[in-house]
Amino acid sequence: MKPIALKNNQTIAVSDIPETDYDTFFSVNTGLIVGHPECHCVNYFGYTIAEKVKLICCVADDTTHQIQVSSCLVDPSKELPSFTSKWLGFERFEREIHENFGIKFIGHPWLKPVRYANNRHDKSKTIATYPFFAIDSEELHEVGVGPIHAGIIEPGHFRFICNGEQILHLEIQLGYQHRGIEKLFLEKKTLLQRTILAESIAGDTVVGHTTAFAHVWESLCGFTPTRDIEYARTIALEMERIAIHAGDLSGVCTDIAYQLGSSVFGRLRTPIINFMQEWGGNRLAKGFVRPGRNKFPFTPALEHRLRDMFSAFEPDFNEMNEEMFKLPSAISRFERTGRVSYEDVLSIGTVGMAARMSGLNRDIRSSHPFSLYPELQHQPIIKHHGDVYSRVQIKKEEVGQSISYIRTLIQNIPEPNPQQALLDSPKPNSFTLSLVEGWRGEICHCAITDSKGDLLLYKIKDPSFHNWLALALSVRNNEISDFPVCNKSFNLSYCGHDL
C-alpha cells in the first residue's frame, strides 16, 4: 500500500485515501519516519464510522513538499501495536486516540489521558486522579506548580521531582479548560461562526489559525485566493510573529530580573499591535482574516505608516538586544540553560522554533510553502545548542527577518479585488489539509465533509501539541529556579493544546 501524496491546501476525495489493514498501516507510516529526519507526522487522528474507528495518518516530507496520507478501519475493542514503540513522536497522538475511542496501543510507554475532553471515551478517568510519574525516595521531593497560577495565564499543572534544587523530572499535565472547539465546528453552520471559532483557538495566534481555516475552506470550495488576499495574510502573519517575539523577549527578561529589557521589549510590542488595530480594527487581528475576501486591503497610506513605525521600532529593538546580549548576568542565565539535544527534538517530533533551536529544520514557510512565501524564498533561522540562548536568538533574528520580508512586500502593493467569493458549496465526501507556519511553529487543520458537503470532522493541531514534552525535557538537571525562563523561552499554549 502506498499513501496518497498531497500538496499543502489540496482537497481530495475521501475515497482516494488508501485504506489498508492495521499491520500495513503501521509499517508504512513508521517506515516513512524512522531513519528519515526530513519526515514527521503532522496529524494522526480518528473518527467513528458505525461501530468502528477510521484512523488517518498524515506524514509530511519536507524534501518533496508532499504530505503522505493513509487510513485504516479498526475495531476499537481490539488492542493494536503502538506506533510510539517505533517513534516517540507518535506518543501524544496515540494518547489522544486512546482517550477519545478507548483503543489500547500495545507498547506505548504511558497511555495516559492527554486532554480530559468532555466527550472522552472513559469519563471515570478524571484529571483529579491523573497518574503522575513518581519516585519513592527519602532524598527526593516533589514540587507542584499550578494549575492556578499567579497571573492571568491559563491553567496547567507542572509536577517536578527534585533533588534539592536540581530538577530530575518534570511532568506537565494539561486538560483543565476546554471549549470543545472541534465539535463546535460541526455544530455551527455559518461560515462567519466557524471563522470566529478559528480566531478563538489560541488568542496569541489569531492570524495563524484563522489563515489555516481560511485555506481549508477555500480549498473545499474550489476557490483560489487572489493575490491581495494572500498578500494581507502574509504581512499579518509576520506582524503577529514580530509582536509575540517582542513580548516573549520582555517575558524572558522579567524571568531573569532584567528590568530594563522587560520594560523596553514590552513597550516595543505595542506599536506592532497598534498598527494591526489601525489596519484591521483589532490589535490581535480578530476580524481580519476572512475566507474568500480581503476585508482590509493594504493601502499606500498604511505603507507610509508602517515604514515610519519600523524606522522607530528597529533601532530601539536592536539597541536593546545589543545591551542584553553583552550583559554577563543575562548571558549566564541563557547559555546552557534548558538544553534539548538534536536527537531528542527529532525523536519527540518538535516543530517550529522548538525544533530549529537544536538544528532540526522544521519551517512550513520553506518546506510546504503557502500564501506569498514562495516569492520570499524563506530561509529558516537555525541554531544548534537547544538552550534558552538559542531560543532567544531565534526570536531576535526572526523579528529582523520578518521586518525585511514586510519591507519587501510593501514595495509592490497589489490592487484590491472588491469581489467577495460565495463559499457556500464545499465539495462533498472530501478531505483537505492545511499547514501554516505560525510564530510558534506548525499549525495543521484537517477537514472531512459528508455526502452533502457539510463538515463531518474538523481536526486542529496547534504546534504546542508537539512541543510541551520538549519543555519537560529542557529542565532536567537544571535548577528549579530556571524553570520560568525555560518556560517563557518556549511560550507554549494551554488553550491551543486543550481546545
Side-chain angles (χ1 to χ4, degrees):
M1 187 276 292
K2 185 178 181 181
I4 187 170
L6 276 67
K7 291 290 188 180
N8 193 7
N9 303 316
Q10 181 180 349
T11 293
I12 61 171
V14 174
S15 58
D16 288 342
I17 301 175
E19 184 179 308
T20 186
D21 62 277
Y22 186 80
D23 288 343
T24 304
F25 185 66
F26 175 95
S27 61
V28 166
N29 286 291
T30 56
L32 285 171
I33 292 178
V34 177
H36 301 281
E38 71 279 8
C39 297
H40 70 288
C41 180
V42 297
N43 229 330
Y44 179 30
F45 56 90
Y47 63 101
T48 303
I49 297 180
E51 296 182 354
K52 293 194 174 182
V53 174
K54 186 163 190 176
L55 301 175
I56 294 182
C57 189
C58 311
V59 176
D61 185 328
D62 294 345
T63 56
T64 64
H65 314 298
Q66 294 178 333
I67 302 105
Q68 306 289 333
V69 182
S70 57
S71 70
C72 177
L73 197 63
V74 300
D75 182 344
S77 66
K78 294 184 177 180
E79 296 183 345
L80 302 173
S82 171
F83 283 23
T84 308
S85 65
K86 294 293 186 181
W87 186 65
L88 186 59
F90 282 112
E91 65 90 14
R92 194 157 296 228
F93 291 111
E94 288 190 323
R95 286 172 63 192
E96 184 188 25
I97 292 169
H98 168 69
E99 184 177 20
N100 289 346
F101 306 106
I103 298 173
K104 294 181 180 178
F105 292 103
I106 305 168
H108 193 287
W110 55 350
L111 207 55
K112 308 177 183 183
V114 66
R115 282 193 172 123
Y116 290 95
N118 185 60
N119 60 350
R120 62 189 182 276
H121 175 76
D122 185 356
K123 293 190 178 181
S124 69
K125 294 180 179 179
T126 66
I127 201 163
T129 58
Y130 178 84
F132 282 99
F133 177 75
I135 297 177
D136 186 15
S137 169
E138 293 183 358
E139 297 180 354
L140 306 181
H141 65 281
E142 292 185 350
V143 179
V145 178
I148 306 303
H149 300 290
I152 60 170
I153 64 174
E154 292 155 290
H157 185 79
F158 300 80
R159 183 71 60 89
F160 300 86
I161 297 176
C162 298
N163 181 8
E165 293 294 309
Q166 183 186 29
I167 300 169
L168 301 183
H169 178 76
L170 166 61
E171 187 167 353
I172 302 169
Q173 177 51 37
L174 308 174
Y176 287 88
Q177 186 167 276
H178 303 89
R179 295 147 293 162
I181 280 187
E182 292 174 334
K183 184 180 178 183
L184 284 171
F185 267 99
L186 311 185
E187 295 175 352
K188 302 299 180 182
K189 299 302 180 183
T190 71
L191 181 54
L192 178 58
Q193 287 174 322
R194 287 166 169 167
T195 307
I196 292 172
L197 281 175
E199 290 180 334
S200 306
I201 293 168
D204 56 13
T205 317
V206 172
V207 181
H209 275 290
T210 316
T211 297
F213 170 72
H215 284 162
V216 164
W217 197 261
E218 288 163 352
S219 181
L220 282 172
C221 294
F223 174 78
T224 302
T226 55
R227 181 177 178 81
D228 67 306
I229 293 174
E230 295 290 29
Y231 178 89
R233 291 173 185 172
T234 306
I235 292 178
L237 278 166
E238 295 306 310
M239 291 292 285
E240 189 168 71
R241 183 180 303 274
I242 295 168
I244 301 298
H245 281 350
D248 283 356
L249 290 170
S250 172
V252 165
C253 289
T254 300
D255 288 333
I256 63 169
Y258 183 35
Q259 188 174 5
L260 178 63
S262 173
S263 300
V264 173
F265 286 127
R267 174 185 67 79
L268 288 172
R269 173 180 174 269
T270 303
I272 305 298
I273 60 176
N274 282 354
F275 179 84
M276 290 306 299
Q277 181 168 13
E278 183 178 344
W279 182 8
N282 185 277
R283 297 203 304 169
L284 300 182
K286 290 198 171 186
F288 185 86
V289 177
R290 289 293 180 264
R293 62 183 296 200
N294 181 9
K295 281 183 66 180
F296 302 100
F298 199 81
T299 64
L302 287 170
E303 176 206 349
H304 293 305
R305 280 282 298 112
L306 189 55
R307 287 186 186 278
D308 291 344
M309 188 269 288
F310 281 152
S311 295
F313 172 95
E314 216 169 10
D316 288 354
F317 182 79
N318 292 337
E319 182 180 1
M320 190 64 257
N321 273 290
E322 185 178 345
E323 290 296 319
M324 180 173 69
F325 285 114
K326 71 181 182 183
L327 191 67
S329 60
I331 298 301
S332 68
R333 294 297 306 278
F334 294 160
E335 287 186 330
R336 296 181 295 278
T337 299
R339 294 184 65 184
V340 189
S341 69
Y342 173 85
E343 291 75 19
D344 281 344
V345 298
L346 178 63
S347 70
I348 64 179
T350 57
V351 297
M353 181 199 68
R356 299 194 295 272
M357 69 181 185
S358 300
L360 180 59
N361 188 349
R362 291 270 162 81
D363 193 320
I364 299 302
R365 291 173 291 176
S366 61
S367 60
H368 303 271
F370 58 97
S371 296
L372 300 191
Y373 289 106
E375 298 178 15
L376 294 171
Q377 298 181 332
H378 170 65
Q379 295 296 317
I381 293 170
I382 309 292
K383 301 298 176 182
H384 298 276
H385 297 291
D387 55 3
V388 171
Y389 188 80
S390 289
R391 296 189 285 276
V392 171
Q393 286 281 346
I394 290 174
K395 292 177 189 294
K396 178 194 76 170
E397 293 180 28
E398 283 195 348
V399 167
Q401 186 182 59
S402 294
I403 292 173
S404 174
Y405 287 164
I406 293 170
R407 282 181 167 147
T408 297
L409 289 169
I410 63 178
Q411 292 176 7
N412 186 16
I413 303 172
E415 288 295 321
N417 186 341
Q419 294 183 342
Q420 177 180 347
L422 295 176
L423 305 181
D424 55 359
S425 300
K427 296 175 184 176
N429 299 316
S430 296
F431 171 86
T432 296
L433 181 148
S434 176
L435 296 173
V436 166
E437 186 73 16
W439 66 268
R440 193 178 268 122
E442 167 191 300
I443 296 165
C444 180
H445 286 206
C446 295
I448 295 175
T449 57
D450 61 18
S451 59
K452 297 180 180 179
D454 201 3
L455 287 178
L456 176 66
L457 176 140
Y458 200 83
K459 190 65 190 164
I460 300 160
K461 187 212 65 185
D462 185 85
S464 300
F465 190 78
H466 289 278
N467 294 343
W468 276 108
L469 184 54
L471 171 61
L473 293 179
S474 74
V475 299
R476 288 188 176 181
N477 299 316
N478 286 253
E479 293 189 2
I480 196 167
S481 57
D482 287 326
F483 171 71
V485 70
C486 292
N487 187 23
K488 191 60 184 180
S489 66
F490 281 95
N491 192 9
L492 303 178
S493 177
Y494 298 86
C495 60
H497 179 279
D498 289 350
L499 300 176

